[in-house]
Amino acid sequence: MKFSNPSHDCFVPSGINAEVALKRTTHLCVAAHQDDIEIMAYSGISECYDQDNKHFTGVVVTNGAGSPRGGPFANMTDLQMQDVRKQEQRRAAELGKYNLQIQLSHPSADVKMPHHPGVASDLEGIFRGCSADFVYLHNPADKHETHIAVLLRCITAIQTLPLHLRPKKVYGCEVWRDLDWLPDNVKVGLDTSQRPKLALALLEVFESQIKGGKRYDLATLGRRLANATFHTSHETDTVTSKIWAVDLTPLVIDKPLALNDLISSYIHLLAQDVSDRISRLS
Ligand SMILES: [Zn+2]
């Protein structure tokens, strides 16, 4: 497999050919940074874990150079940090028995350019090289600019595919903004209650972030528990952990919706819901 940045990394934990691994992908997550996959797509990872007919592939688009650092990592250069983060991502792929882990190693600034040729051709190659049924992307209400840039580049890449090669379902998942606020009739709950030890271990792998002063491990598991618990006030919990996602499939069908129109309509529904309840009880 060829990708545009010479420092890209392809890792196949099982040792099979990388192209064969990409082709058999059934669940695909394309995220901006190392550790985003483990935060946002754990339902896909756990669904594919130890399965013969389901294969999870993770793609990290940026090189992780700009990540905050503290503790034992405080004095590392950007280059050293990139290597640490690359190795952490490989360890996560091994631990989670991913089918394939690709790290494209693009600088964030390139990803934020709408028509960067290397970013565009890499993503198109990945989506064309597999026919994943389920795709996990960043959500359009996320407040991290690189996340939104990666989401936009992915939607563009999927839209270049013929209809029959496009994924059946595309989910926009939580990282830098929860999706609890989405109206219940449009939000999708992804079950993350399977293999809780694995869920924790996959987050703990990213020592450079956690020891650097960001407890993503506790925060991520806490959010999933809160999502499950605070969903319905009058019913007992059926699952103990879940990620909320927004269904982005309408963006990749024939005559697709625009991303801004889709998320704006949901924000409008939230405003309506809040305002209607207050009016009703006043
Ligand atoms: Zn990120």
Side-chain angles (χ1 to χ4, degrees):
M1 265 187 304
K2 273 196 81 65
F3 295 110
S4 62
N5 195 305
S7 55
H8 77 267
D9 184 63
C10 279
F11 175 52
V12 188
S14 70
I16 66 163
N17 174 278
E19 264 171 57
V20 174
L22 179 62
K23 201 169 172 49
R24 70 179 188 177
T25 301
T26 55
H27 295 60
L28 173 71
C29 175
V30 185
H33 307 105
Q34 289 89 356
D35 81 0
D36 284 337
I37 292 171
E38 291 66 29
I39 294 172
M40 65 196 256
Y42 180 69
S43 64
I45 297 169
S46 66
E47 200 180 325
C48 297
Y49 190 88
D50 267 346
Q51 300 293 311
D52 291 334
N53 58 348
K54 294 179 181 177
H55 303 284
F56 181 86
T57 291
V59 178
V60 175
V61 178
T62 72
N63 56 21
S67 58
R69 60 206 73 174
F73 303 89
N75 296 319
M76 282 196 170
T77 63
D78 273 2
L79 259 183
Q80 288 170 320
M81 201 64 186
Q82 283 176 45
D83 190 53
V84 166
R85 301 208 69 190
K86 196 180 275 180
Q87 297 311 325
E88 288 175 343
Q89 189 60 60
R90 276 178 160 242
R91 276 206 294 284
E94 201 153 31
L95 201 62
K97 300 189 181 179
Y98 301 178
N99 169 56
L100 169 65
Q101 174 66 59
I102 301 171
Q103 301 191 64
L104 296 174
S105 227
H106 288 291
S108 247
D110 288 357
V111 181
K112 288 180 188 166
M113 285 169 55
H115 303 291
H116 187 278
V119 174
S121 69
D122 286 354
L123 289 174
E124 199 186 322
I126 289 167
F127 283 109
R128 205 171 272 277
C130 71
S131 44
D133 291 331
F134 303 99
V135 171
Y136 304 84
L137 301 176
H138 289 293
N139 87 76
D142 196 291
K143 59 187 174 184
H144 196 306
E145 294 211 348
T146 313
H147 288 192
I148 296 301
V150 169
L151 167 65
L152 288 164
R153 307 302 163 250
C154 288
I155 296 295
T156 303
I158 296 173
Q159 287 173 341
T160 65
L161 301 179
L163 283 174
H164 71 279
L165 288 182
R166 296 186 193 178
K168 290 196 183 78
K169 276 285 171 199
V170 180
Y171 301 116
C173 308
E174 299 169 307
V175 183
W176 282 104
R177 184 166 276 146
D178 301 355
L179 289 172
D180 166 74
W181 60 270
L182 277 171
D184 285 346
N185 58 336
V186 301
K187 71 185 169 200
V188 181
L190 302 174
D191 181 8
T192 45
S193 59
Q194 303 303 309
R195 300 180 190 272
K197 282 185 185 157
L198 177 66
L200 175 61
L202 283 172
L203 297 162
E204 286 177 335
V205 157
F206 296 93
E207 271 199 343
S208 69
Q209 305 303 293
I210 291 168
K211 287 199 176 150
K214 297 290 272 180
R215 296 305 305 267
Y216 293 123
D217 50 343
L218 301 179
T220 300
L221 298 182
R223 171 159 61 195
R224 291 175 190 167
L225 171 64
N227 282 345
T229 305
F230 287 108
H231 177 39
T232 46
S233 54
H234 297 303
E235 289 167 30
T236 51
D237 302 342
T238 47
V239 296
T240 53
S241 172
K242 70 165 75 168
I243 289 172
W244 291 124
V246 53
D247 186 358
L248 300 179
T249 317
L251 307 176
V252 300
I253 53 172
D254 195 20
K255 302 198 180 82
L257 279 180
L259 183 61
N260 231 336
D261 291 346
L262 178 121
I263 197 65
S264 298
S265 71
Y266 293 160
I267 292 168
H268 178 73
L269 284 178
L270 171 70
Q272 197 74 53
D273 179 59
V274 171
S275 146
D276 285 354
R277 187 169 297 101
I278 291 171
S279 301
R280 223 174 29 247
L281 296 170
S282 292

